[in-house]
Amino acid sequence: MAAETRGCRPWGSLLLGLLGLVSAAAAAWDLTSLRCNFGTFCECDFQPDFPGLECDLAQHLAGQHLARALVVKALKAFVQDPAPTKPLVLSLHGWTGTGKSYVSSLLAHYLFRGGLRSPHVHHFSPVIHFPHPSHMERYKKDLKSWVQGNLTVCGRSLFLFDEMDKLTPGLMEVLQPFLGPSWVVYGTNYRKAIFIFISNTGGEQINQVALEAWRSRRAREEISLQELEPVISRAVLDNPHHGFWRSGIMEERLLDALVPFLPLQRHHVRHCVLNELAQLGVEPRDEVTQAVLDSTTFFPEDEQLFSSNGCKTVASRIAFFL
């Protein structure tokens, strides 16, 4: 499906949009949305721009060859299938600040005409939407109703679940029927939906694989999904605090891809600094870049190889040193 290219965007702007996104029931539904009810043909404001997405990922997603390739390949295959048998379900894993939230915000921007403000993009945060474990049964009922209702309005919907490692286990089991290869669930056509789950679980294991590769002088780009997928799966399955715990989602193999995000090295952080300066309209300044790098903590203690916070604190540090 062709779409007007929306172009590459700076690193920080989409992240700010994601953090401010609230999927409210009172979102303004346009006439197109109203006409979409129950129509399997309807794409609502779904207008994928793959050239723009690939451009943005290439320019701004530092050090993530696996994530970039996996996300684009999975999305293209899914969107180009006129009759998918199940929704696209991706689970993003990695250390803090490595680009997971940034990628999810890019997907909203380049898949939907309204971007993060589209009424068909729904973002859930444990702290905001499911803060009290004692209310789990009500949360289950509400979440099931929300997903079902929005898929009834438009099958082309994007659901983002952030911080899965902070989500009380038990809630995600209500999503299992929506993620599998069935034709209709609860009277709702749902096969064209996209579900994205984000967590830090598996980050330590990914870091260890990357460290061992560096110590054995293997190029970072030689690290393969085949190396990382088993350790991520085990980390999730063994974590009783992860939202997938005993939900059946992992056990029933309902995830289309586990997307690993590698820890960021010094030159990746430098790349983020330059991106942020460009967004601010500031010419690159060596003293500012070096000051940000010098104030960043790296690990392990001996090698000082990976950034402890990835690129997460780059914007605030730049503001301090300008």
Side-chain angles (χ1 to χ4, degrees), residues 37-40 144 147-155 177-178 182-191:
N37 288 351
F38 305 103
T40 59
K144 175 183 172 182
V147 172
Q148 181 180 347
N150 281 283
L151 288 180
T152 300
V153 171
C154 182
F178 294 99
S182 299
W183 289 97
V184 176
V185 174
Y186 308 124
T188 301
N189 188 300
Y190 71 101
R191 292 169 291 136

Side-chain angles (χ1 to χ4, degrees), residues 206-252:
I206 295 171
N207 292 355
Q208 188 59 39
V209 171
L211 179 60
E212 291 172 0
W214 181 84
R215 286 173 174 171
S216 61
R217 298 187 178 182
R218 289 175 57 207
R220 181 186 181 92
E221 288 70 26
E222 293 179 6
I223 298 174
S224 68
L225 179 63
Q226 288 71 27
E227 293 176 76
L228 295 173
E229 196 170 42
V231 298
I232 296 173
S233 295
R234 180 50 51 195
V236 173
L237 289 170
D238 289 346
N239 185 357
H241 302 293
H242 194 280
F244 285 160
W245 177 256
R246 295 181 178 175
S247 67
I249 292 174
M250 293 284 291
E251 293 82 354
E252 297 297 324

